[in-house]
Amino acid sequence: MSTPTASGSDGAGLRERVRAALAAAGLSQARAAREIGVSDSAMSQWLAAKYPGAAAAVDAKAARWLKAREERAALARRMPEAPEWTPTASARRIEAGLSYAQLAGDITVIYGGAGVGKTLAARRYASQRPNVWIAAMTPAAQALGPCLERLSLACGLRPANSRAARLEEELRDRLEGSQGLLIIDEAQHLGTRALEGVRSLHDATGVGLALLGNETIYSRLTGGRRAAEFAQLFSRIGKRVRLTRAAKADVEALLAAWSVEDAATREAALEIARQPGALRGLTKALRLAALFAKGEPLEARHVAAAWRDLGGGTA
């Protein structure tokens, strides 16, 4: 007799529902096992109705997983997607900086507050140009070796050797003569040797280089007691793009993409865009506001309620 599950389905029915969910989403069995919280072997045995352990425990986990997927799918159907791309004034400045670096084989530094669209514009640029590679850095990539590993993976290399010298050699072979652009996102996380390593790759290969990050990356290159350490890198910077906050024109372009025309709603949106997170925070608020509006035109009260619900206070 099948063990009842929390969903009320018998074991065989539950397994069929899980198989159907995997097929519909194109999920691998291994990925589903991780999401459900069981081992790959346990998942395989359970799907084959040959699990030797307490099948009821796996049934319960699988039922919870299915319920959570169904709830997420229902929310996704109700919540509208943000516009795929909004050509804001800041985005055009970012793309111009990236284009300069690639065409001139030079270095561009693009820096400023969070949420102004640096990463999104870089991805858009990379999707429309050949030989553009984006490597996102984190604190774990501060040192030269991890930084070079990230760059190698971004460039499509699968290095068998993690020695910095070997990674650098393979990257030089890949980048030299490519007329490409290497974009380092979140560059403020890189340490001195890693930044110098990136600069050396640019010098050796002529590849365009764009450093994207917050205000920290530029201040490190230009001021303080350690500025001399970056003299060679700073002297090579050809273009600087500073984006301190989302421009009003950026917000207006985003609101146009969302078809927001009401003056009070636009003012509420502008106030949100002035907060940390800028356009990113505003986009999240607009998506949730559209859900609150239930198909009606967005109003200031929807935007304010969404911003409060997201923990942003009043708008």
Side-chain angles (χ1 to χ4, degrees):
M1 181 176 177
S2 300
T3 303
T5 68
S7 67
S9 303
D10 61 24
L14 181 59
R15 288 191 292 273
E16 284 305 312
R17 289 174 60 205
V18 169
R19 290 192 190 95
L22 297 184
L27 281 179
S28 68
Q29 183 176 295
R31 171 69 179 273
R34 288 196 299 272
E35 293 184 3
I36 291 171
V38 298
S39 68
D40 194 7
S41 60
M43 184 73 178
S44 180
Q45 292 169 335
W46 180 80
L47 285 172
K50 296 179 180 179
Y51 185 64
V58 182
D59 288 353
K61 289 182 176 181
R64 287 195 296 268
W65 177 76
L66 281 172
K67 182 179 180 182
R69 288 183 62 83
E70 290 165 0
E71 289 175 347
R72 285 196 298 270
L75 179 61
R77 288 192 295 270
R78 288 159 45 214
M79 183 178 288
E81 286 295 323
E84 184 176 348
W85 172 248
T86 305
T88 64
S90 292
R92 288 191 289 271
R93 290 181 62 201
I94 293 167
E95 289 193 337
L98 298 175
S99 179
Y100 166 79
Q102 183 169 14
L103 294 175
D106 208 342
I107 298 178
T108 290
V109 177
I110 301 172
Y111 62 105
V116 295
K118 297 186 293 293
T119 299
L120 188 60
R123 290 174 181 168
R124 167 82 173 186
Y125 181 88
S127 72
Q128 298 184 326
R129 307 294 198 288
N131 291 343
V132 179
W133 306 280
I134 303 177
M137 299 299 165
T138 66
Q142 180 182 30
L144 177 61
C147 170
L148 293 176
E149 287 184 28
R150 297 278 177 94
L151 296 180
S152 298
L153 293 172
C155 292
L157 301 175
R158 294 294 182 269
N161 192 318
S162 61
R163 288 175 53 246
R166 181 59 181 164
L167 291 171
E168 183 181 59
E169 183 179 344
E170 292 183 1
L171 280 166
R172 287 186 177 187
D173 289 344
R174 177 71 179 91
L175 298 174
E176 190 168 12
S178 67
Q179 296 184 321
L181 174 65
L182 191 58
I183 301 174
I184 313 294
D185 199 9
E186 302 290 348
Q188 71 273 6
H189 293 304
L190 297 183
T192 304
R193 291 191 67 236
L195 282 168
E196 276 299 297
V198 170
R199 191 267 306 168
S200 295
L201 280 174
H202 162 75
D203 287 355
T205 64
V207 70
L209 175 62
L211 300 175
L212 277 60
N214 59 25
E215 294 276 354
T216 303
I217 182 63
Y218 195 71
S219 63
R220 285 174 62 200
L221 300 179
T222 59
R225 292 176 297 174
R226 301 179 61 186
E229 297 179 15
F230 301 108
Q232 291 195 68
L233 176 56
F234 180 73
S235 67
R236 287 165 171 76
I237 296 173
K239 189 175 180 66
R240 302 158 179 80
V241 180
R242 187 184 187 196
L243 304 162
T244 55
R245 65 192 316 182
K248 184 177 180 180
D250 296 346
V251 181
E252 289 175 345
L254 184 59
L255 293 177
W258 279 89
S259 301
V260 176
E261 299 179 357
D262 175 68
T265 308
R266 295 173 72 86
E267 185 56 39
L270 281 166
E271 183 58 33
I272 291 173
R274 296 186 186 106
Q275 309 303 315
L279 298 181
R280 185 186 304 141
L282 176 56
T283 296
K284 292 179 180 181
L286 289 172
R287 289 190 70 202
L288 186 55
L291 181 62
F292 289 168
K294 299 179 180 179
E296 297 296 321
L298 281 182
E299 297 179 5
R301 61 189 177 90
H302 300 133
V303 175
W307 187 237
R308 284 195 302 272
D309 195 68
L310 292 170
T314 58

